[in-house]
Amino acid sequence: MGIGGPADFLLGGRVRLLQPEDGYRAAIDPVFLAAVTAARPGERVLDVGTGTGAAALCLAARVPEAAVVGLEQRADAAGFARRNAALNGLESRVAIVEGDLLAPPEALRPGSFDRVMMNPPYLRADAASRPPDAWKAAANVEGAARLPDWLRFADAMLKPRGTVTLVHRADRLDDILEALRPRFGALAVVPLWPKAGQEARRVLVAARKGLRSPARLTAGVVIHEADGRYTAAAERILRDAAALEL
């Protein structure tokens, strides 16, 4: 699979990203995911299903001295992620581990991460046709690991009171909340509105392990102006590497 020419740029050029010339390519979702993951210097963050490393690298670029581990099942995607970490001079803080969350590699020690972030496949396996491209299929349609499996894995990897963050489709919010409730509390839901007055298509969700505080629905972020330009709020996140405060 070819690389497809020059690297793409994220966070206003702070992150360069090599991606396949065909197949799945990262968009803005992993950038928002990294922005809502409120890591601090010295913390360890696990990026589950890291793909080419977009979210992991955006987080590492924004938070100096945070250590990020990306777990990726596909060998070709893991290869891209490793090259991207080196391309950005972040290989000392962004490690890529190849493996399956249903059979976690020994390199991932349970209870050792302050935060887990994830961009799970958006579509249920029983409600979608799998794209012919294997990479797109793995990124977009659930495989053997379903959404509850992803969140059980986050629970296993997190320290007590650790935080999980994810980006997902808004129409799967019921599934997300149901899967989180047995193990997580203090939920915050951030709608991502395409334009003012339009229904949200994506949500960011943050929750803390072992807490029972009530859930909150935040004001969210409007992504585009009526003319298609990014709003000032979106620009601060996508171009200026601002955190998305909850």
Side-chain angles (χ1 to χ4, degrees):
M1 181 177 288
I3 289 175
D8 296 315
F9 291 92
L10 304 175
L11 298 184
R14 293 170 178 83
V15 171
R16 294 191 294 166
L17 196 72
L18 299 173
Q19 302 195 80
E21 59 187 358
D22 48 17
Y24 178 78
R25 297 177 69 84
I28 64 174
D29 289 0
V31 184
F32 275 100
L33 174 61
V36 81
T37 302
R40 301 182 182 92
E43 289 188 336
R44 297 186 76 233
V45 182
L46 176 61
D47 180 24
V48 187
T50 196
T52 57
L57 293 168
C58 285
L59 182 64
R62 182 173 63 79
V63 186
E65 300 177 20
V68 186
V69 177
L71 175 65
E72 176 53 49
Q73 185 175 18
R74 290 181 58 87
D76 49 1
F80 270 94
R82 291 189 185 99
R83 290 196 294 275
N84 284 325
L87 179 66
N88 288 277
L90 292 170
E91 62 268 46
S92 65
R93 291 197 292 117
V94 178
I96 306 301
V97 175
E98 191 176 327
D100 186 345
L101 67 88
L102 293 177
E106 292 183 2
L108 300 182
R109 184 165 54 84
S112 64
F113 290 92
D114 301 285
R115 300 177 191 271
V116 172
M117 62 181 182
M118 57 178 64
N119 183 181
Y122 288 151
L123 302 175
R124 296 187 190 91
D126 59 357
S129 299
R130 297 186 72 81
D133 179 86
W135 194 326
K136 282 185 178 179
N140 294 323
V141 183
E142 291 178 346
R146 307 301 170 90
L147 180 59
D149 298 315
W150 285 67
L151 292 169
R152 278 192 291 269
F153 177 67
D155 175 53
M157 291 294 115
L158 281 168
K159 297 176 180 178
R161 297 177 174 260
T163 301
V164 61
T165 48
L166 66 152
V167 59
H168 216 296
R169 284 170 56 120
D171 60 7
R172 293 203 64 188
L173 184 56
D174 279 348
D175 295 336
I176 295 166
L177 298 181
E178 182 179 355
L180 282 169
R181 282 195 186 102
R183 303 170 182 85
F184 294 90
L187 279 69
V189 180
V190 185
L192 298 179
W193 317 104
K195 293 181 180 179
Q198 294 185 352
E199 291 187 2
R201 297 175 185 170
R202 297 283 187 268
V203 289
L204 300 164
V205 180
R208 293 187 65 189
K209 177 177 176 174
L211 297 189
R212 292 292 179 265
S213 306
R216 295 187 298 118
L217 180 64
T218 76
V221 179
V222 178
I223 298 174
H224 293 105
E225 303 283 5
D227 61 6
R229 292 179 296 113
Y230 284 124
T231 63
E235 285 276 1
R236 285 193 292 273
I237 292 166
L238 297 172
R239 310 288 189 212
D240 301 334
L244 202 169
E245 302 290 346
L246 294 178

